[in-house]
Amino acid sequence: MKKLICLFTLLAFVCVPFAQAQKNARKGRRAAAKKDMTGTVAPQAQKALAAQADVSVEALPQEAPVAVPTAMPEGAQPVPPAVGEAPVAPAQEGEGFVAPREEVAEQPEEAVAPRVVYNPKSRRDPTLSPDDFLLLQYREQQRLAALEAERQRKLAEERRKREEEERLRQLELARIKDPTREVRNRIKIGGIIGQEVFIGSKIYTVGKSIYGARIVEVRPDSVVFSYKGHKFVRKMQL
């Protein structure tokens, strides 16, 4: 155990200085590389730059001098240029003057969604076979026919109800307009002999009443009755 401890201690004393030396070497290389990038120039590059600098200055085109306008005193009139002289251009703000860039607002184009039209050739479900589709179609037709028959039955029933209500309404109106209607159809005259009238199996004379209707007059072939202030005539049935 003691040997292992001694061995680890020895390795620690050896490895720490080595690691420090490696770290210092990396720092030195980084500093040298940075100096080469920012400072010194190789001798070959210096010779190339000197050869390029030997270009004659006289060969370059000379720029025309630009007249700088001076400030005029107050009240002075500007002097027009002489005939044949070019007008003096206004001075720029500097040699490196750059006109500001005008920002143009670009309008984004509206994205147009593509129009998709689905127009199938048939209404059949592609997951069904032709036989299944035919069977389903037949069942749907039967269901629609049953619904239509039920609707027609309800309409006919409502029509019958309306007709019955209208019939009762007409009877009530007729009874109100002609009260004799309710007894007139019940009286059936079997025969007439003088002033005697045969109604059913009984004989009635003037002044007698039947079903609330009183006999007012007996004629050779008819009898006049009075019912609720209204008169009506019943003929003899042959």
Side-chain angles (χ1 to χ4, degrees):
M1 188 67 181
K2 291 181 179 180
K3 291 182 180 180
L4 290 174
I5 294 173
C6 293
L7 181 60
F8 284 128
T9 304
L10 181 61
L11 289 174
F13 279 109
V14 173
C15 293
V16 169
F18 179 75
Q20 189 66 27
Q22 291 290 334
K23 185 176 181 180
N24 293 337
R26 284 197 297 272
K27 287 183 178 181
R29 288 195 296 271
R30 289 176 184 173
K34 188 181 295 184
K35 183 176 180 181
D36 292 341
M37 292 174 64
T38 58
T40 60
V41 181
Q44 292 83 359
Q46 290 180 357
K47 292 180 180 180
L49 291 174
Q52 293 178 2
D54 292 339
V55 180
S56 175
V57 180
E58 296 180 356
L60 298 175
Q62 298 294 331
E63 295 182 356
V66 178
V68 179
T70 57
M72 292 187 301
E74 296 181 359
Q77 297 294 333
V79 180
V83 179
E85 293 182 0
V88 181
Q92 301 293 337
E93 295 185 2
E95 294 182 358
F97 174 76
V98 179
R101 180 180 179 183
E102 296 181 358
E103 296 183 359
V104 180
E106 297 181 358
Q107 297 181 355
E109 296 182 358
E110 297 181 357
V112 180
R115 183 183 179 186
V116 179
V117 179
Y118 177 67
N119 188 16
K121 294 183 179 180
S122 65
R123 299 174 58 187
R124 185 173 65 84
D125 189 351
T127 60
L128 298 176
S129 64
D131 294 338
D132 293 338
F133 177 73
L134 184 61
L135 182 61
L136 291 176
Q137 189 176 11
Y138 174 75
R139 291 176 179 175
E140 182 66 15
Q141 292 176 355
Q142 293 295 320
R143 185 182 69 83
L144 294 177
L147 291 177
E148 182 65 19
E150 182 67 17
R151 188 178 70 86
Q152 294 294 336
R153 185 187 65 79
K154 291 182 178 180
L155 290 176
E157 185 176 356
E158 292 178 358
R159 191 183 307 110
R160 284 195 299 271
K161 287 182 179 180
R162 289 195 299 269
E163 291 176 355
E164 182 66 19
E165 291 175 357
E166 182 64 20
R167 188 181 68 82
L168 296 176
R169 175 176 170 274
Q170 293 296 333
L171 287 176
E172 186 176 2
L173 289 175
R175 191 182 304 113
I176 293 173
K177 294 179 181 179
D178 185 12
T180 64
R181 185 184 181 89
E182 59 185 6
V183 297
R184 185 173 53 191
N185 295 330
R186 297 174 63 183
I187 298 174
K188 300 183 182 302
I189 299 175
I192 299 174
I193 301 176
Q195 296 295 318
E196 295 180 350
V197 180
F198 292 91
I199 300 174
S201 59
K202 296 181 179 181
I203 300 174
Y204 295 88
T205 59
V206 177
K208 297 293 184 66
S209 297
I210 178 173
Y211 302 122
R214 186 170 56 88
I215 298 175
V216 177
E217 181 183 358
V218 177
R219 297 175 182 175
D221 58 348
S222 62
V223 181
V224 179
F225 294 88
S226 176
Y227 180 78
K228 293 182 180 181
H230 297 271
K231 292 183 179 181
F232 65 93
V233 179
R234 294 293 292 173
K235 292 184 178 182
M236 183 178 59
Q237 294 180 355
L238 298 177

